[in-house]
Amino acid sequence: MKHIVLFFMVGLLAAGMHAQDQSGLRKKQFNLNEGVAINGYDPVAYFTLNKAVKGSKDNTVVHEAVTYYFSSAANKDAFIKNPAKYEPEYGGWCAYAMGAKGEKVEVDPKTFKIVNGRLNLFYNKFFNNTLTEWNKDEANLKKKADANWSKIYH
């Protein structure tokens, strides 16, 4: 009986360590500003309103060590029900840079595109809107971005 209890406790400890490792990895690899994703923009609004909308600290969810702000309680609830649907691709880094060079590059949260039901964000500063380049070769860049992100986030 002692062996079963010990085995069970080791299993729980290992599961807890994996969860901590995963949370640490997300904090390290995701594009966060003081722990907040998408510079405080509401990830659900991109899908429901097709535009970037600033969230509020009053509607906050911490999902696997990453904080998200929402513009409404309804959006917060939608996220809680299905966070994988609304979290940005590539940890919130620029999809174009991830595909073209495998690099983590900051984004302009107002420059986005929903691709295959997933939120993709893009760099857009100093007359360089990477969404324009992404649109010229989306299929190829998406494939490369997926492969590059899997090397970074593992």
Side-chain angles (χ1 to χ4, degrees):
M1 182 68 171
K2 288 182 184 177
H3 293 295
I4 294 172
V5 171
L6 181 61
F7 181 73
F8 180 72
M9 290 177 68
V10 168
L12 285 176
L13 180 62
M17 289 174 63
H18 176 72
Q20 286 179 337
D21 288 346
Q22 188 68 13
S23 293
L25 182 63
R26 287 170 61 87
K27 282 183 178 180
K28 179 181 175 186
Q29 298 298 356
F30 278 43
N31 185 3
L32 306 175
N33 184 2
E34 296 182 12
V36 178
I38 322 174
N39 293 327
Y41 280 80
D42 178 342
V44 176
Y46 289 99
F47 293 86
T48 59
L49 301 175
N50 196 35
K51 68 178 183 176
V53 177
K54 266 295 206 187
S56 164
K57 289 182 182 179
D58 295 335
N59 288 305
T60 299
V61 171
V62 177
H63 175 67
E64 297 179 3
V66 175
T67 301
Y68 291 92
Y69 292 166
F70 300 90
S71 58
S72 69
N75 284 5
K76 176 182 171 181
D77 292 343
F79 183 88
I80 290 169
K81 288 177 186 169
N82 191 358
K85 175 179 179 179
Y86 299 108
E87 280 197 303
E89 285 277 62
Y90 318 120
W93 298 106
C94 175
Y96 173 80
M98 189 59 62
K101 298 179 182 177
E103 295 178 353
K104 297 190 291 185
V105 171
E106 292 293 329
V107 297
D108 172 359
K110 295 178 183 176
T111 307
F112 71 97
K113 183 174 184 179
I114 307 296
V115 179
N116 298 329
R118 297 299 312 269
L119 173 60
N120 288 258
L121 300 166
F122 298 89
Y123 177 89
N124 184 6
K125 292 180 184 164
F126 307 113
F127 308 105
N128 184 15
N129 182 348
T130 60
L131 176 56
T132 303
E133 294 303 311
W134 172 270
N135 286 333
K136 292 177 183 176
D137 193 17
E138 183 176 286
N140 184 43
L141 288 165
K142 170 98 175 90
K143 183 177 177 181
K144 288 180 179 178
D146 289 346
N148 289 334
W149 181 243
S150 70
K151 292 174 192 169
I152 292 170
Y153 184 68
H154 61 277

